[in-house]
Amino acid sequence: MKRQMTTFVAAVPLTVVSLATCAALVPLPQSVKELQGCVRYSAPVYEQDASLGREAYRLRVGDNGIVITSSSKAGAFYAEKTLAQLRQTDGSYPAVEIEDWPAYPWRGFLLDEGRHFFGKETVKQVLDLMAYHKFNVFHWHLTEDQGWRIDVPGLPELVKYGSVRPESPSHGATLKKLADYQYRSESLNGIPYGPYFYSESDLREIVAYAKERHIKVVPEIDMPGHALAILAAYPKLACFPENIKRRMAWPDWGIFADVLCVGNDDTLGFLYRVLDYVCDVFPSDVIHIGGDECPFVNWAKCPKCQARMKAEGLKEAKELQGWLTTKVAEYLAKKGRRIMGWDEILAGNVPQSAIGQSWRTSNRNGSGTDLVSGGLGAERGHDMVMTPHDETYYAYQQGLGEDPFARDGEVLPLEKAYSFDPARSVSPSAKKRILGSEACLWSEYIWNEYDLAWRAWPRTCAMAEVLWRNPAPCDYSDFEKRMEVHRKRLIRMGVNCAPLK
């Protein structure tokens, strides 16, 4: 390939100098040699090296031009993102040699649009920022008690009834537990919400947009719990349809007793039909089926569920979740897809091919599901994505001195986010099963794109570096210095990035 004309501005030979003299790179590459001098250029030269990993790259900016070496388009893409961060305010690029590769194959960002809907343009902005920081998995949480966000052909009731709710908790209202599976916010705002959902063309556009940025979109269709938006559309799929009095999604946050009836054959038929559409629209080899926080109280009383238990030789109602998970896993396997679910699915007898997503640090949710830790799931042979809530849920408060989006609740400051280790407390033999982690943006208390960006950044920068470099030694003080520069970069890009402290 013909080399482009490059101007190298340096009066002295290239020598290794301090990283601090150059740019603030986030995530920090695995190996950096900064060289004295700077370069103005028109375009890099691309070279192939099949010995490099799929996402690895080498980048050299020097007196003979700018050269990017990789084995794939993904590696070259990440080199370009590093190059973009190297660009100085005068348009020059510091001379540098970089060898780089990711520590984990699953570097994810979870966006919950079940509670609050952000829309296509905000999703694209999220994908752009993910790509800029070398994330490669967009975990899209599309269904909840509070909203169903995809228009499935032949099932129009899903968006007619499930994409709207009568009101939402007031901004700043706290959630109160009244009794088991009964929750109420301090106040509701009385403002109808919706209809908000994505058309098929919207979904395909976003999938294509992500693919251009080497990001896989993993859709989440929550089952069998967090299903009140489904039941608003199809009350017959509840154990006790008479409980579903309102043909809208639920206005409050929480965990609710009314879930999908696993004893009803129509439930499986409905789920298969939805998953057929999901597999058609989303090319991901992984489909997330949720599975978290599902109460079993109605299953224990439901005649259909009791009949199912008897027919399948099950002794306890909670075993029905494992039965359903296995059925769905087998159905998706025929389509060449793997299931993924929250750690609750691992409590049952499910296929080893199922990917677990560990979020609980104890049996804190009270749904009755036995806790299977991420380490135990890995030891049992499951690939695991590690997202302990106290270290990866970025809807939590940041502990800032001044915070316009502050609310009551748990605190997760930037330094704690940076100290996260996905393989902590995992036995050496099981660490190979740890795929990575995600920055989790649950939207109960995230109201718009400005609030979303404020909560996501800069903590998602910390996650980017953890997943790209861990277990390479990480120095928070160095990260903090680089982030002071990088935050200004993000603000110039229009990102509502919170301060570091």
Side-chain angles (χ1 to χ4, degrees):
M1 183 181 294
K2 185 178 179 181
R3 293 183 181 272
Q4 304 293 324
M5 291 298 294
T6 303
T7 301
F8 181 70
V9 184
V12 295
L14 295 180
T15 56
V16 177
V17 297
S18 168
L19 180 65
T21 67
C22 181
L25 299 177
V26 179
L28 185 67
Q30 300 285 357
S31 174
V32 181
K33 288 183 179 179
E34 286 206 39
L35 310 171
Q36 196 170 36
C38 61
V39 170
R40 301 181 190 277
Y41 84 109
S42 57
V45 171
Y46 294 86
E47 297 181 347
Q48 291 280 319
D49 184 344
S51 68
L52 293 174
R54 192 183 70 84
E55 296 183 303
Y57 67 89
R58 290 196 296 268
L59 171 64
R60 178 178 172 86
V61 180
D63 51 3
N64 63 343
I66 299 174
V67 181
I68 290 173
T69 305
S70 66
S71 66
S72 71
K73 292 182 179 179
F77 181 80
Y78 294 136
E80 291 167 354
K81 295 305 175 186
T82 299
L83 194 61
Q85 290 190 14
L86 284 169
R87 188 177 188 273
Q88 306 297 285
T89 55
D90 64 357
S92 68
Y93 295 78
V96 66
E97 290 181 349
I98 291 175
E99 293 191 19
D100 206 8
W101 61 91
Y104 288 100
W106 190 288
R107 306 182 302 281
F109 185 107
L110 180 153
L111 180 62
D112 168 19
E113 288 205 80
R115 276 67 174 238
H116 279 103
F117 184 85
F118 300 101
K120 185 167 60 176
E121 294 310 312
T122 297
V123 169
K124 287 183 176 180
Q125 292 168 9
V126 167
L127 291 169
D128 284 338
L129 286 168
M130 288 176 61
Y132 192 65
H133 295 88
K134 303 183 177 71
F135 286 89
N136 64 354
V137 177
F138 179 51
H139 178 172
W140 206 1
H141 188 81
L142 289 163
T143 72
E144 257 301 337
D145 292 307
Q146 296 80 19
W148 180 278
R149 306 302 179 204
I150 58 173
D151 187 10
V152 180
L155 297 172
E157 291 88 348
L158 280 172
V159 293
K160 180 179 180 180
Y161 299 110
S163 74
V164 297
R165 60 178 183 254
E167 54 190 342
S168 305
S170 300
H171 194 281
T174 57
L175 187 66
K176 294 183 177 181
K177 184 175 181 179
L178 306 180
D180 283 346
Y181 317 121
Q182 295 182 39
Y183 294 82
R184 186 72 174 178
S185 292
E186 283 182 324
S187 63
L188 296 172
N189 61 17
I191 302 173
Y193 193 85
Y196 296 129
F197 61 91
Y198 290 103
S199 68
E200 181 172 331
S201 62
D202 290 334
L203 297 174
R204 292 190 185 278
E205 181 182 342
I206 289 170
V207 167
Y209 193 86
K211 183 179 179 181
E212 290 173 356
R213 288 150 182 79
H214 299 276
I215 295 170
K216 174 168 67 177
V217 180
V218 175
E220 180 177 352
I221 308 299
D222 220 336
M223 62 182 83
H226 288 297
L228 285 172
I230 297 173
L231 300 181
Y234 298 102
K236 68 177 183 178
L237 299 182
C239 289
F240 303 104
E242 62 272 17
N243 290 350
I244 313 301
K245 294 181 169 60
R246 181 160 40 193
R247 298 298 298 277
M248 291 188 191
W250 203 252
D252 269 313
W253 323 138
I255 305 170
F256 305 100
D258 287 298
V259 300
L260 292 173
C261 177
V262 185
N264 187 342
D265 289 336
D266 289 342
T267 296
L268 273 178
F270 167 82
L271 292 174
Y272 291 165
R273 192 168 179 178
V274 169
L275 291 170
D276 285 344
Y277 176 70
V278 168
C279 289
D280 181 53
V281 173
F282 295 94
S284 169
D285 59 327
V286 177
I287 304 296
H288 204 299
I289 64 168
D292 61 311
E293 298 181 323
C294 180
F296 312 127
V297 290
N298 282 0
W299 293 350
K301 298 180 290 185
C302 172
K304 289 182 179 179
C305 289
Q306 291 299 302
R308 178 78 74 197
M309 289 172 58
K310 184 176 180 180
E312 299 296 331
L314 307 178
K315 296 180 180 180
E316 297 183 77
K318 66 182 181 181
E319 296 177 81
L320 286 169
Q321 180 162 4
W323 178 86
L324 177 68
T325 300
T326 298
K327 285 289 186 182
V328 171
E330 292 171 349
Y331 188 79
L332 288 175
K334 294 176 183 177
K335 297 175 176 290
R337 315 298 178 99
R338 294 176 70 183
I339 66 162
M340 180 175 181
W342 299 99
D343 57 54
E344 285 93 333
I345 72 167
L346 303 181
N349 184 22
V350 298
Q352 199 171 68
S353 60
I355 301 172
Q357 184 161 4
S358 175
W359 73 277
R360 293 181 296 168
T361 55
S362 66
N363 270 331
R364 67 191 292 272
N365 66 335
S367 67
T369 307
D370 296 333
L371 174 65
V372 177
S373 69
L376 181 56
E379 289 172 9
R380 291 180 179 178
H382 293 283
D383 288 338
M384 298 295 301
V385 173
M386 308 294 274
T387 53
H389 72 93
D390 58 341
E391 295 183 277
T392 68
Y393 279 21
Y394 294 166
Y396 290 167
Q397 294 303 288
Q398 301 181 68
L400 301 175
E402 185 175 348
D403 189 348
F405 299 101
R407 67 175 181 85
D408 293 336
E410 299 188 54
V411 178
L412 174 50
L414 179 62
E415 185 170 4
K416 184 175 181 180
Y418 191 75
S419 69
F420 171 57
D421 177 0
R424 186 187 300 132
S425 302
V426 178
S427 66
S429 62
K431 285 186 177 182
K432 63 183 179 182
R433 294 289 185 185
I434 307 303
L435 300 181
S437 185
E438 297 177 355
C440 298
L441 277 302
W442 297 104
S443 69
E444 290 99 331
Y445 300 99
I446 298 178
W447 295 81
N448 54 47
E449 64 270 31
Y450 307 106
D451 191 355
L452 174 65
W454 183 268
R455 297 192 189 280
W457 310 97
R459 287 181 294 188
T460 302
C461 296
M463 179 65 78
E465 189 147 307
V466 165
L467 295 177
W468 193 265
R469 283 186 57 83
N470 186 281
C474 295
D475 180 350
Y476 179 72
S477 62
D478 174 68
F479 172 75
E480 190 173 37
K481 291 175 184 176
R482 285 182 284 115
M483 273 305 308
E484 289 175 356
V485 178
H486 189 62
R487 178 174 181 262
K488 295 176 183 177
R489 184 186 290 145
L490 292 175
I491 290 173
R492 288 196 299 270
M493 293 165 62
V495 179
N496 189 35
C497 181
L500 307 190
K501 53 189 174 183

